[in-house]
Coordinates of all heavy atoms in Angstrom, one line a residue:
A1 N 45.9 35.8 -87.2 CA 46.4 35.6 -85.9 C 47.7 36.4 -85.8 O 48.4 36.6 -86.8 CB 46.6 34.2 -85.6
S2 N 48.1 36.8 -84.6 CA 49.3 37.5 -84.4 C 50.0 37.1 -83.1 O 49.3 36.8 -82.1 CB 48.9 39.0 -84.2 OG 50.0 39.7 -83.8
D3 N 51.3 37.0 -83.1 CA 52.0 36.7 -81.9 C 52.2 37.9 -81.0 O 52.6 37.8 -79.9 CB 53.4 36.2 -82.3 CG 53.3 34.8 -83.0 OD1 52.3 34.1 -82.8 OD2 54.3 34.5 -83.8
E4 N 51.9 39.1 -81.6 CA 52.1 40.3 -80.9 C 50.9 41.0 -80.3 O 50.9 41.8 -79.5 CB 52.7 41.4 -81.9 CG 54.0 40.9 -82.5 CD 55.2 41.1 -81.6 OE1 55.2 42.1 -80.9 OE2 56.0 40.2 -81.6
A5 N 49.7 40.5 -80.8 CA 48.4 41.2 -80.3 C 47.3 40.1 -80.1 O 47.4 39.0 -80.6 CB 48.0 42.1 -81.4
S6 N 46.4 40.5 -79.3 CA 45.2 39.7 -79.0 C 43.9 40.5 -79.3 O 43.9 41.7 -79.1 CB 45.2 39.3 -77.6 OG 46.3 38.5 -77.3
M7 N 42.9 39.8 -79.6 CA 41.6 40.5 -79.8 C 40.8 40.3 -78.5 O 40.8 39.3 -77.9 CB 40.8 39.8 -80.9 CG 39.5 40.5 -81.2 SD 38.6 39.7 -82.6 CE 37.3 39.0 -81.6
L8 N 40.1 41.4 -78.2 CA 39.2 41.3 -77.0 C 37.9 41.9 -77.5 O 37.8 43.0 -78.0 CB 39.8 42.2 -75.9 CG 38.9 42.4 -74.6 CD1 38.8 41.0 -73.9 CD2 39.5 43.4 -73.7
E9 N 36.8 41.1 -77.3 CA 35.5 41.5 -77.7 C 34.6 41.6 -76.4 O 34.6 40.7 -75.6 CB 34.9 40.5 -78.6 CG 33.5 40.9 -79.2 CD 33.0 39.9 -80.2 OE1 33.9 39.3 -80.9 OE2 31.8 39.7 -80.4
L10 N 33.9 42.7 -76.3 CA 33.2 42.9 -75.0 C 31.7 43.3 -75.4 O 31.4 43.9 -76.4 CB 33.7 44.1 -74.3 CG 35.2 44.0 -73.8 CD1 35.7 45.3 -73.4 CD2 35.3 42.9 -72.7
V11 N 30.8 42.9 -74.5 CA 29.4 43.4 -74.5 C 29.3 44.4 -73.4 O 29.4 44.0 -72.2 CB 28.4 42.2 -74.4 CG1 27.0 42.7 -74.4 CG2 28.6 41.3 -75.6
F12 N 29.0 45.6 -73.7 CA 28.8 46.6 -72.8 C 27.3 46.8 -72.6 O 26.6 47.2 -73.6 CB 29.4 47.9 -73.3 CG 29.4 49.1 -72.4 CD1 30.4 49.3 -71.6 CD2 28.3 50.0 -72.4 CE1 30.5 50.5 -70.7 CE2 28.3 51.1 -71.6 CZ 29.4 51.3 -70.7
A13 N 26.7 46.4 -71.5 CA 25.3 46.3 -71.3 C 24.8 47.3 -70.3 O 24.7 47.0 -69.1 CB 24.9 44.9 -70.9
P14 N 24.6 48.5 -70.7 CA 24.1 49.5 -69.7 C 22.7 49.2 -69.3 O 21.9 48.7 -70.1 CB 24.2 50.8 -70.5 CG 24.0 50.4 -71.9 CD 24.7 49.1 -72.0
C15 N 22.4 49.5 -68.0 CA 21.0 49.3 -67.6 C 20.3 50.6 -67.4 O 20.8 51.6 -67.5 CB 21.1 48.4 -66.3 SG 22.0 49.3 -64.9
T16 N 19.0 50.5 -67.0 CA 18.2 51.6 -66.8 C 18.6 52.3 -65.4 O 19.1 51.6 -64.6 CB 16.7 51.2 -66.8 OG1 16.5 50.4 -65.7 CG2 16.3 50.6 -68.1
P17 N 18.2 53.6 -65.3 CA 18.5 54.2 -64.0 C 17.8 53.5 -62.8 O 18.3 53.4 -61.7 CB 17.9 55.6 -64.2 CG 18.0 55.9 -65.6 CD 17.7 54.5 -66.3
Q18 N 16.6 52.9 -63.1 CA 15.9 52.2 -62.0 C 16.7 51.0 -61.6 O 16.6 50.5 -60.4 CB 14.5 51.7 -62.5 CG 13.6 52.9 -62.8 CD 13.7 53.4 -64.3 OE1 14.6 52.9 -65.0 NE2 12.9 54.4 -64.6
A19 N 17.5 50.4 -62.5 CA 18.2 49.2 -62.1 C 19.6 49.5 -61.6 O 20.4 48.6 -61.3 CB 18.3 48.3 -63.3
G20 N 20.0 50.8 -61.6 CA 21.2 51.2 -61.0 C 22.3 51.8 -61.8 O 23.4 52.0 -61.4
S21 N 22.0 52.3 -63.0 CA 23.0 52.9 -63.9 C 23.3 54.3 -63.6 O 24.1 54.9 -64.2 CB 22.7 52.7 -65.4 OG 21.6 53.5 -65.7
G22 N 22.5 54.9 -62.8 CA 22.6 56.4 -62.6 C 21.9 57.1 -63.7 O 21.0 56.6 -64.3
D23 N 22.4 58.3 -64.0 CA 21.7 59.1 -65.0 C 22.5 59.2 -66.4 O 22.2 60.0 -67.2 CB 21.5 60.5 -64.5 CG 22.8 61.2 -64.2 OD1 23.9 60.6 -64.3 OD2 22.8 62.4 -63.8
K24 N 23.5 58.3 -66.6 CA 24.3 58.3 -67.8 C 23.5 57.6 -68.9 O 23.0 56.4 -68.8 CB 25.6 57.5 -67.5 CG 26.5 57.5 -68.7 CD 27.0 58.9 -69.0 CE 27.9 58.8 -70.2 NZ 28.3 60.2 -70.6
N25 N 23.4 58.3 -70.0 CA 22.7 57.7 -71.2 C 23.8 57.2 -72.1 O 24.3 57.9 -73.0 CB 21.9 58.8 -71.9 CG 21.1 58.2 -73.1 OD1 21.4 57.1 -73.6 ND2 20.3 59.0 -73.7
W26 N 24.2 55.9 -72.0 CA 25.3 55.3 -72.8 C 24.9 55.2 -74.3 O 25.8 55.2 -75.1 CB 25.7 54.0 -72.2 CG 26.4 54.2 -70.9 CD1 26.0 53.9 -69.7 CD2 27.7 54.7 -70.8 NE1 26.9 54.3 -68.7 CE2 28.0 54.7 -69.4 CE3 28.7 55.1 -71.6 CZ2 29.2 55.2 -68.9 CZ3 29.9 55.6 -71.1 CH2 30.2 55.6 -69.8
I27 N 23.6 55.0 -74.6 CA 23.2 54.9 -76.0 C 23.5 56.2 -76.7 O 24.0 56.2 -77.9 CB 21.7 54.6 -76.1 CG1 21.5 53.1 -75.6 CG2 21.2 54.7 -77.6 CD1 22.1 52.0 -76.4
A28 N 23.4 57.3 -76.0 CA 23.7 58.6 -76.7 C 25.1 59.0 -76.6 O 25.5 60.0 -77.3 CB 22.8 59.7 -76.0
A29 N 25.9 58.3 -75.8 CA 27.3 58.7 -75.7 C 28.1 58.4 -77.0 O 27.7 57.6 -77.8 CB 28.0 57.9 -74.5
S30 N 29.2 59.2 -77.2 CA 30.0 59.0 -78.4 C 30.8 57.7 -78.3 O 31.0 57.1 -77.2 CB 31.0 60.1 -78.5 OG 32.0 60.0 -77.5
D31 N 31.2 57.2 -79.4 CA 32.0 55.9 -79.4 C 33.2 56.1 -78.6 O 33.6 55.2 -77.8 CB 32.4 55.6 -80.9 CG 31.3 55.1 -81.7 OD1 30.1 55.1 -81.3 OD2 31.5 54.8 -82.9
E32 N 33.9 57.2 -78.7 CA 35.1 57.5 -78.0 C 34.9 57.5 -76.4 O 35.7 57.0 -75.7 CB 35.7 58.9 -78.4 CG 36.2 58.9 -79.8 CD 35.1 59.0 -80.8 OE1 34.0 59.4 -80.5 OE2 35.4 58.7 -82.0
E33 N 33.7 58.0 -76.0 CA 33.4 58.0 -74.6 C 33.2 56.6 -74.1 O 33.6 56.2 -73.0 CB 32.2 58.9 -74.4 CG 31.9 59.1 -72.9 CD 30.7 60.1 -72.7 OE1 30.1 60.5 -73.7 OE2 30.4 60.4 -71.5
I34 N 32.5 55.8 -74.9 CA 32.2 54.4 -74.5 C 33.5 53.6 -74.4 O 33.7 52.9 -73.5 CB 31.2 53.8 -75.4 CG1 29.8 54.4 -75.2 CG2 31.1 52.2 -75.2 CD1 28.8 54.0 -76.3
I35 N 34.4 53.8 -75.4 CA 35.6 53.1 -75.4 C 36.5 53.5 -74.3 O 37.1 52.7 -73.6 CB 36.3 53.3 -76.8 CG1 35.5 52.6 -77.9 CG2 37.8 52.8 -76.8 CD1 35.9 53.0 -79.3
S36 N 36.6 54.8 -74.0 CA 37.3 55.3 -72.9 C 36.8 54.7 -71.5 O 37.6 54.3 -70.7 CB 37.3 56.8 -72.9 OG 38.0 57.3 -71.8
A37 N 35.5 54.8 -71.3 CA 35.0 54.2 -70.1 C 35.2 52.7 -69.9 O 35.5 52.2 -68.8 CB 33.5 54.5 -70.1
T38 N 35.2 52.0 -71.1 CA 35.4 50.6 -71.0 C 36.9 50.3 -70.7 O 37.2 49.5 -69.8 CB 35.1 49.9 -72.4 OG1 33.7 50.2 -72.7 CG2 35.3 48.5 -72.4
L39 N 37.8 51.0 -71.3 CA 39.2 50.9 -71.0 C 39.5 51.2 -69.6 O 40.3 50.5 -68.9 CB 40.1 51.7 -72.0 CG 40.2 51.1 -73.4 CD1 41.0 52.0 -74.3 CD2 40.8 49.7 -73.3
N40 N 38.9 52.3 -69.1 CA 39.2 52.7 -67.7 C 38.7 51.6 -66.7 O 39.4 51.3 -65.7 CB 38.4 54.0 -67.3 CG 39.1 55.2 -67.9 OD1 40.3 55.1 -68.3 ND2 38.4 56.2 -68.1
E41 N 37.6 50.9 -67.0 CA 37.1 49.9 -66.2 C 38.0 48.6 -66.3 O 38.3 48.0 -65.3 CB 35.6 49.5 -66.6 CG 35.0 48.5 -65.7 CD 34.7 48.9 -64.3 OE1 35.0 50.1 -63.9 OE2 34.3 48.0 -63.5
L42 N 38.4 48.3 -67.5 CA 39.4 47.2 -67.7 C 40.7 47.4 -66.9 O 41.2 46.5 -66.3 CB 39.6 46.9 -69.1 CG 38.5 46.3 -69.9 CD1 38.8 46.3 -71.4 CD2 38.2 44.9 -69.4
E43 N 41.2 48.7 -67.0 CA 42.4 49.0 -66.2 C 42.2 48.9 -64.7 O 43.1 48.4 -64.0 CB 42.9 50.4 -66.6 CG 43.5 50.5 -67.9 CD 44.0 51.9 -68.2 OE1 44.3 52.7 -67.3 OE2 44.1 52.3 -69.4
R44 N 41.0 49.2 -64.3 CA 40.7 49.1 -62.8 C 40.7 47.6 -62.4 O 41.2 47.3 -61.4 CB 39.4 49.8 -62.5 CG 39.0 49.8 -61.0 CD 37.7 50.4 -60.8 NE 36.6 49.5 -61.2 CZ 36.2 48.4 -60.5 NH1 36.7 48.1 -59.4 NH2 35.2 47.7 -61.0
L45 N 40.1 46.8 -63.3 CA 39.9 45.4 -62.9 C 41.2 44.6 -63.2 O 41.5 43.6 -62.4 CB 38.8 44.8 -63.8 CG 37.4 45.3 -63.5 CD1 36.4 44.8 -64.6 CD2 37.0 44.9 -62.1
F46 N 42.0 45.0 -64.1 CA 43.2 44.2 -64.5 C 44.4 45.2 -64.6 O 45.0 45.3 -65.7 CB 43.0 43.5 -65.8 CG 41.8 42.6 -65.9 CD1 40.7 43.0 -66.5 CD2 41.8 41.4 -65.2 CE1 39.5 42.2 -66.5 CE2 40.7 40.6 -65.2 CZ 39.5 41.0 -65.9
P47 N 44.9 45.8 -63.5 CA 45.9 46.8 -63.6 C 47.3 46.3 -64.1 O 48.0 47.0 -64.7 CB 46.0 47.3 -62.2 CG 45.5 46.2 -61.3 CD 44.4 45.6 -62.2
Y48 N 47.5 45.0 -63.9 CA 48.8 44.4 -64.2 C 48.8 43.8 -65.6 O 49.9 43.5 -66.1 CB 49.3 43.4 -63.2 CG 49.4 44.1 -61.8 CD1 48.5 43.8 -60.8 CD2 50.4 45.0 -61.6 CE1 48.6 44.4 -59.6 CE2 50.5 45.6 -60.3 CZ 49.6 45.3 -59.3 OH 49.7 45.9 -58.1
E49 N 47.7 43.7 -66.2 CA 47.6 43.1 -67.5 C 47.2 44.2 -68.6 O 47.8 44.1 -69.7 CB 46.5 42.0 -67.6 CG 46.8 40.8 -66.8 CD 46.5 40.9 -65.3 OE1 45.8 41.9 -64.9 OE2 46.8 40.0 -64.6
I50 N 46.4 45.1 -68.2 CA 45.9 46.1 -69.2 C 46.3 47.5 -68.8 O 46.6 48.3 -69.7 CB 44.3 46.0 -69.3 CG1 44.0 44.6 -69.9 CG2 43.7 47.1 -70.0 CD1 42.5 44.4 -70.0
G51 N 46.4 47.8 -67.6 CA 46.7 49.1 -67.1 C 48.2 49.5 -67.3 O 49.0 48.7 -67.7
K52 N 48.5 50.7 -66.8 CA 49.9 51.2 -66.9 C 50.9 50.5 -66.0 O 52.1 50.6 -66.1 CB 49.9 52.7 -66.7 CG 49.2 53.5 -67.8 CD 49.1 55.0 -67.5 CE 48.4 55.7 -68.5 NZ 47.1 55.3 -68.8
A53 N 50.3 49.6 -65.1 CA 51.2 48.8 -64.2 C 51.6 47.5 -64.9 O 52.3 46.7 -64.3 CB 50.5 48.5 -62.9
A54 N 51.2 47.4 -66.2 CA 51.7 46.2 -66.9 C 53.2 46.1 -67.0 O 53.8 47.2 -67.0 CB 51.0 46.2 -68.3
P55 N 53.8 45.0 -67.2 CA 55.2 44.9 -67.2 C 55.9 45.8 -68.3 O 57.0 46.3 -68.0 CB 55.5 43.4 -67.6 CG 54.3 42.7 -67.1 CD 53.1 43.7 -67.2
D56 N 55.2 46.0 -69.4 CA 55.9 46.9 -70.4 C 55.7 48.4 -70.1 O 56.2 49.2 -70.8 CB 55.3 46.6 -71.8 CG 53.8 46.9 -72.0 OD1 53.2 47.4 -71.0 OD2 53.3 46.6 -73.0
G57 N 54.9 48.7 -69.1 CA 54.7 50.1 -68.7 C 53.7 50.8 -69.5 O 53.4 52.0 -69.3
R58 N 53.1 50.2 -70.5 CA 52.2 50.8 -71.4 C 50.8 50.3 -71.2 O 49.8 51.0 -71.3 CB 52.6 50.6 -72.9 CG 53.8 51.3 -73.3 CD 54.1 51.1 -74.7 NE 53.0 50.6 -75.5 CZ 53.1 50.1 -76.7 NH1 54.3 50.0 -77.3 NH2 52.0 49.7 -77.4
G59 N 50.7 49.0 -71.0 CA 49.4 48.3 -70.9 C 48.8 48.1 -72.3 O 49.5 48.1 -73.3
A60 N 47.5 47.8 -72.4 CA 46.9 47.4 -73.6 C 46.8 48.7 -74.5 O 46.5 49.8 -74.0 CB 45.5 46.9 -73.4
Q61 N 46.9 48.5 -75.8 CA 46.7 49.5 -76.8 C 45.6 49.2 -77.7 O 45.6 48.1 -78.3 CB 48.0 49.7 -77.6 CG 49.2 50.0 -76.7 CD 49.1 51.3 -75.9 OE1 48.8 52.3 -76.5 NE2 49.3 51.2 -74.6
V62 N 44.6 50.0 -77.9 CA 43.5 49.8 -78.9 C 44.0 50.1 -80.3 O 44.5 51.3 -80.5 CB 42.3 50.6 -78.5 CG1 41.2 50.4 -79.6 CG2 41.8 50.3 -77.1
T63 N 43.9 49.2 -81.2 CA 44.3 49.4 -82.6 C 43.1 49.5 -83.5 O 43.2 50.1 -84.5 CB 45.3 48.3 -83.1 OG1 44.6 47.1 -82.9 CG2 46.6 48.3 -82.3
K64 N 42.0 49.0 -83.0 CA 40.8 49.0 -83.8 C 39.6 48.8 -82.9 O 39.7 48.0 -82.0 CB 40.8 47.9 -84.9 CG 39.6 47.9 -85.8 CD 39.7 46.7 -86.8 CE 38.4 46.6 -87.5 NZ 38.4 45.5 -88.4
S65 N 38.5 49.6 -83.1 CA 37.4 49.4 -82.3 C 36.1 49.7 -83.1 O 36.1 50.5 -84.0 CB 37.4 50.3 -81.1 OG 37.4 51.7 -81.5
T66 N 35.0 49.1 -82.6 CA 33.7 49.3 -83.2 C 32.7 49.3 -82.1 O 32.7 48.4 -81.3 CB 33.3 48.2 -84.3 OG1 34.3 48.1 -85.3 CG2 32.0 48.4 -84.9
V67 N 31.8 50.3 -82.1 CA 30.8 50.3 -81.1 C 29.4 50.1 -81.9 O 29.2 50.8 -82.8 CB 30.7 51.6 -80.4 CG1 29.5 51.7 -79.4 CG2 32.0 51.9 -79.6
V68 N 28.7 49.1 -81.4 CA 27.4 48.8 -82.0 C 26.3 49.0 -80.9 O 26.4 48.4 -79.9 CB 27.3 47.3 -82.5 CG1 25.9 47.0 -83.1 CG2 28.4 47.1 -83.6
R69 N 25.4 49.8 -81.2 CA 24.3 50.1 -80.2 C 23.0 49.4 -80.6 O 22.6 49.5 -81.8 CB 24.0 51.6 -80.2 CG 25.1 52.4 -79.6 CD 24.9 53.9 -79.9 NE 26.0 54.7 -79.3 CZ 27.2 54.9 -79.9 NH1 27.4 54.3 -81.0 NH2 28.1 55.6 -79.3
V70 N 22.5 48.6 -79.7 CA 21.3 47.9 -79.9 C 20.4 48.2 -78.7 O 20.4 47.5 -77.7 CB 21.5 46.3 -80.0 CG1 20.2 45.6 -80.3 CG2 22.6 46.1 -81.1
P71 N 19.6 49.3 -78.7 CA 18.7 49.6 -77.6 C 17.7 48.5 -77.3 O 17.3 47.8 -78.2 CB 18.0 50.8 -78.1 CG 18.8 51.4 -79.2 CD 19.5 50.2 -79.8
R72 N 17.4 48.3 -76.1 CA 16.5 47.3 -75.6 C 16.9 45.9 -75.9 O 16.1 45.0 -76.0 CB 15.1 47.5 -76.2 CG 14.6 48.9 -76.0 CD 13.3 49.2 -76.7 NE 12.4 49.5 -75.7 CZ 11.1 49.4 -75.9 NH1 10.6 49.0 -77.0 NH2 10.3 49.7 -74.9
S73 N 18.2 45.7 -76.0 CA 18.7 44.3 -76.3 C 19.0 43.5 -75.1 O 19.2 42.3 -75.2 CB 20.0 44.4 -77.2 OG 21.0 45.0 -76.4
V74 N 19.1 44.2 -73.9 CA 19.5 43.5 -72.7 C 18.3 43.6 -71.7 O 17.8 44.7 -71.4 CB 20.8 44.1 -72.1 CG1 21.1 43.4 -70.8 CG2 21.9 43.9 -73.1
Y75 N 17.9 42.5 -71.1 CA 16.9 42.5 -70.1 C 17.4 43.2 -68.8 O 18.6 43.0 -68.4 CB 16.5 41.1 -69.7 CG 15.7 40.9 -68.5 CD1 14.3 41.2 -68.6 CD2 16.2 40.6 -67.3 CE1 13.5 41.1 -67.5 CE2 15.4 40.5 -66.2 CZ 14.1 40.7 -66.3 OH 13.3 40.7 -65.2
A76 N 16.6 44.0 -68.3 CA 17.0 44.7 -67.0 C 15.9 44.4 -66.0 O 14.8 44.7 -66.2 CB 17.1 46.2 -67.2
A77 N 16.3 43.9 -64.9 CA 15.4 43.6 -63.8 C 15.1 45.0 -63.1 O 16.0 45.7 -62.8 CB 16.0 42.7 -62.8
T78 N 13.8 45.3 -62.9 CA 13.4 46.5 -62.3 C 12.5 46.2 -61.1 O 11.8 45.2 -61.2 CB 12.7 47.5 -63.3 OG1 11.7 46.8 -63.9 CG2 13.7 47.9 -64.4
P79 N 12.5 47.0 -60.1 CA 11.7 46.7 -58.9 C 10.2 46.6 -59.3 O 9.7 47.4 -60.1 CB 11.9 48.0 -58.0 CG 13.3 48.5 -58.5 CD 13.4 48.2 -59.9
G80 N 9.5 45.7 -58.7 CA 8.1 45.5 -58.9 C 7.7 44.7 -60.1 O 6.5 44.4 -60.3
R81 N 8.6 44.2 -60.9 CA 8.3 43.4 -62.1 C 8.0 41.9 -61.7 O 7.5 41.2 -62.6 CB 9.5 43.5 -63.1 CG 9.8 44.9 -63.6 CD 8.6 45.5 -64.2 NE 8.4 45.0 -65.6 CZ 7.4 45.3 -66.3 NH1 6.5 46.1 -66.0 NH2 7.3 44.7 -67.5
G82 N 8.4 41.5 -60.5 CA 8.2 40.1 -60.1 C 6.7 39.6 -60.2 O 6.4 38.5 -60.5
K83 N 5.8 40.6 -60.0 CA 4.4 40.2 -60.0 C 3.9 39.8 -61.4 O 2.9 39.2 -61.6 CB 3.5 41.3 -59.5 CG 3.6 42.6 -60.3 CD 2.8 43.7 -59.6 CE 3.0 45.0 -60.3 NZ 2.5 46.1 -59.6
F84 N 4.7 40.1 -62.5 CA 4.3 39.8 -63.8 C 4.9 38.5 -64.2 O 4.7 37.9 -65.2 CB 4.7 40.9 -64.8 CG 4.1 42.2 -64.5 CD1 4.8 43.2 -64.0 CD2 2.7 42.4 -64.8 CE1 4.2 44.5 -63.7 CE2 2.1 43.6 -64.5 CZ 2.9 44.7 -64.0

């Protein structure tokens, strides 16, 4: 435990293009690209806690990260599946 830092664990669940993810293949993306996209989204959602608008002017700093890919691990609702 640290008085200076906190741990944040996230599940990044990309969906299929049919369910609205566009044409981005996140499974094939580099770890750095996934981490960057995640931080950008967190900064957008929490600009005063994580982004550069945080009181310290720096925002959150990543000191360690791990990306684990598990294809087909998340259910995605797709049009027309209700009949099954």
Side-chain angles (χ1 to χ4, degrees):
S2 169
D3 293 335
E4 302 283 320
S6 298
M7 184 181 105
L8 177 63
E9 185 173 332
L10 302 167
V11 175
F12 185 92
C15 60
T16 63
Q18 296 85 359
S21 73
D23 59 358
K24 182 68 179 173
N25 181 352
W26 288 106
I27 293 293
S30 69
D31 289 2
E32 293 77 17
E33 189 175 4
I34 292 170
I35 293 164
S36 176
T38 301
L39 285 175
N40 287 339
E41 184 67 6
L42 287 171
E43 286 182 23
R44 186 185 70 78
L45 295 170
F46 305 104
Y48 301 107
E49 293 84 6
I50 292 177
K52 292 177 181 59
D56 65 4
R58 292 180 21 192
Q61 303 298 306
V62 176
T63 57
K64 179 181 175 184
S65 63
T66 302
V67 175
V68 177
R69 291 167 180 79
V70 184
R72 307 175 117 202
S73 64
V74 178
Y75 170 78
T78 54
R81 300 299 285 172
K83 62 185 174 187
F84 298 108

